């Protein structure tokens, strides 16, 4: 059930405010990976140990999304968004000042807690601003902040981190969070939860099979994209033979693909949601199958990177799907979508790492990714069959 704002707002500016928040979150999530060599040196630890800082953020997302969604079921949604962004901004500011590795772990975990809930609640707010048939496109406009971060925010934070110190990379995110709060106060609608919303009512989503199947599609199907993304820099230098200075260009192209995919898939989802999800998964599997073939030559590698990035459009489709199958438990289901994606962010790189360690080479991540995309497609097929059956 979609709850409408209690006063008139300009949807364009409201969606822009949500997108700026997504830009801030996307910047810190991906830039932390690119700044890992700098902050590992600054904190006096090796890079594998510093990698635990990335995992701490992901753990915060997985735990924070459902917990906050349940506990905040009765809080007005603009107030909740502002509170989430305030915690996010403070935690990133503290990350910029972390004196030791263990403090950094704690601050990154705290930074991850608001991530999933912000996107989940933001998606519900975005959907409330437009007619029912345009929900996916509204959600995609918010998600454009996340995809744009991979093109602009990450290189900017990385550049700042390299030029004047890694702490300023996290400081930039704190500034973006403050800007988001200001825009939310000015442009976001006052949106009260559904009548009778309670924490126990939100937990009702966990009893719905279609909610779990939709989350499984994201957790498995998205793993393929993360599998390739994690090892892309090493593949480019070791297989394609380019210098490390070129890798930011490749990551930016990946972000371009995600942006294109988000726009195209959202429009398709507003026409036929479940067919759009299946087509996106099939497209992603085909693009990942090209990865090993394309990797040795730069001129084939770059367009395939864009194609694989296009598979990121699955995110807005599944966000809308969860609105349809969650019943009254909208907030929890929407937030859990980002827990599923962070599960994919752990599953894909882990399986890809196993393939590389087993001696199958850097390009084996493409085949592992294809298998994960097809696994997500199987779950999608079962979900659609179950829905049409009964």
């Amino acid at each position: 059930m979609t709850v409408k704002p209690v006063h008139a707002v300009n949807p364009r500016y409201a969606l822009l405010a949500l997108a700026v928040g997504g830009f801030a979150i996307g910047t810190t999530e991906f830039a932390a990976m690119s700044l890992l060599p700098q902050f590992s040196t600054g904190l006096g630890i090796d890079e594998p140990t510093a990698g635990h800082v990335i995992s701490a953020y992901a753990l915060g997302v997985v735990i924070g999304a459902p917990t906050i969604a349940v506990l905040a079921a009765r809080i007005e949604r603009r107030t909740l968004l502002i509170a989430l962004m305030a915690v996010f901004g403070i935690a990133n500011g503290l990350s910029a000042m972390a004196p030791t590795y263990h403090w950094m772990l704690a601050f990154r975990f705290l930074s991850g807690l608001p991530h999933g809930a912000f996107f989940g609640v933001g998606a519900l707010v975005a959907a409330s601003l437009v007619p029912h048939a345009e929900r996916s496109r509204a959600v995609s406009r918010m998600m454009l902040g996340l995809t744009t971060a991979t093109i602009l925010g990450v290189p900017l934070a990385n550049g700042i981190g390299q030029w004047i110190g890694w702490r300023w990379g996290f400081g930039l995110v704190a500034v973006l969070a403050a800007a988001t709060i200001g825009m939310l106060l000015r442009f976001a609608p006052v949106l009260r939860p559904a009548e009778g919303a309670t924490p126990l009512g939100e937990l009702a989503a966990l009893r719905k099979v279609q909610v779990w199947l939709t989350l499984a599609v994201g957790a498995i199907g998205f793993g393929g994209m993360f599998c390739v993304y994690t090892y892309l820099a090493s593949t480019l230098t070791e297989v394609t033979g380019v210098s490390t200075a070129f890798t930011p260009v490749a990551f930016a192209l990946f972000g371009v693909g995600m942006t294109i995919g988000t726009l195209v898939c959202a429009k398709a989802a507003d026409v036929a949601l479940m067919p759009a999800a299946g087509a996106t998964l099939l497209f992603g599997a085909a693009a990942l199958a090209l990865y090993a073939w394309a990797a040795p030559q730069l001129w084939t590698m770059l367009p395939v990177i864009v194609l694989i990035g296009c598979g990121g459009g699955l995110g807005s489709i599944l966000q809308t799907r969860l609105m349809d199958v969650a019943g009254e438990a909208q907030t929890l289901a929407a937030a859990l979508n980002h827990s599923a994606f962070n599960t994919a962010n752990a599953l894909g790189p882990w399986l890809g790492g196993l393939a590389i360690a087993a001696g199958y080479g850097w390009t084996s991540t493409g085949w592992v990714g294809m298998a994960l995309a097809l696994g997500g497609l199987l779950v999608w097929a079962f979900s659609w069959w179950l829905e049409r059956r009964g």
Side-chain angles (χ1 to χ4, degrees):
M1 183 175 70
T2 301
V3 180
K4 292 298 179 184
V6 299
H7 63 85
V9 296
N10 186 315
R12 180 176 299 177
Y13 292 135
L15 289 171
L16 178 61
L18 294 171
V20 172
F23 184 85
I25 291 175
T27 297
T28 198
E29 182 175 23
F30 290 99
M33 302 177 194
S34 67
L35 289 172
L36 189 145
Q38 284 77 32
F39 72 73
S40 63
T41 301
L43 295 174
I45 54 178
D46 57 35
E47 290 193 26
T49 301
H52 298 160
V53 171
I54 310 300
S55 300
Y57 182 91
L59 182 63
V61 178
V62 172
I63 293 175
T67 303
I68 294 171
V70 170
L71 295 178
R74 303 183 68 176
I75 298 177
E76 188 272 317
R77 285 172 177 165
R78 183 178 71 166
T79 301
L80 179 56
L81 286 171
I82 290 169
L84 290 169
M85 191 49 57
V87 172
F88 174 80
I90 291 169
N92 275 278
L94 291 171
S95 298
M97 297 183 289
T100 66
Y101 162 66
H102 291 99
W103 278 112
M104 188 65 162
L105 274 180
F107 294 149
R108 294 317 292 160
F109 175 79
L110 183 62
S111 299
L113 289 175
H115 176 132
F118 182 88
F119 278 119
V121 175
L124 298 177
V125 172
S128 74
L129 297 169
V130 298
H132 187 272
E134 298 176 12
R135 293 173 305 155
S136 293
R137 275 170 281 184
V139 171
S140 74
R141 292 187 187 108
M142 178 191 71
M143 296 300 291
L144 282 177
L146 177 63
T147 63
T148 304
T150 63
I151 304 172
L152 300 176
V154 174
L156 177 60
N158 184 261
I160 289 173
Q162 292 192 44
W163 297 330
I164 58 177
W166 62 268
R167 296 181 185 276
W168 289 97
F170 292 104
L172 169 66
V173 176
V175 172
L176 289 170
T180 302
I181 291 172
M183 294 182 71
L184 289 171
L185 283 168
R186 176 66 179 84
F187 300 120
V190 174
L191 190 67
R192 299 192 182 100
E195 191 71 27
T198 65
L200 287 178
E202 289 295 333
L203 288 172
L206 302 180
R207 296 198 298 265
K208 297 178 181 294
V209 173
Q210 288 292 355
V211 167
W212 285 107
L213 288 174
T214 304
L215 293 173
V217 170
I220 299 170
F222 242 115
M225 189 183 74
F226 286 117
C227 180
V228 165
Y229 188 92
T230 301
Y231 301 103
L232 178 59
S234 296
T235 304
L236 285 166
T237 55
E238 299 297 326
V239 179
T240 313
V242 301
S243 69
T244 55
F246 185 81
T247 55
V249 176
F251 283 113
L253 287 174
F254 202 100
V256 169
M258 288 184 68
T259 302
I260 295 171
T262 297
L263 292 171
V264 173
C265 290
K267 188 171 183 179
D270 279 333
V271 176
L273 194 149
M274 282 299 277
T280 302
L281 286 162
L282 190 60
F283 175 88
L288 288 159
L290 294 172
Y291 186 70
W293 163 80
Q297 300 88 24
L298 185 61
W299 66 273
T300 53
M301 185 64 153
L302 294 183
V304 168
I305 288 172
V306 175
L307 292 176
I308 293 173
C310 287
L314 183 65
S316 56
I317 298 176
L318 296 183
Q319 194 80 71
T320 306
R321 170 68 174 169
L322 283 166
M323 293 180 195
D324 290 341
V325 300
E328 301 298 320
Q330 292 282 305
T331 306
L332 176 58
L336 279 172
N337 194 35
H338 296 276
S339 293
F341 290 156
N342 275 271
T343 300
N345 197 7
L347 179 64
W350 176 63
L351 292 176
L354 289 179
I356 294 167
Y360 292 105
W362 295 107
T363 59
S364 63
T365 56
W367 298 115
V368 173
M370 182 192 73
L372 286 167
L374 291 176
L377 186 65
L378 286 175
V379 178
W380 164 85
F382 178 68
S383 174
W384 200 18
W385 171 80
L386 202 61
E387 183 176 84
R388 292 168 68 89
R389 179 171 173 254

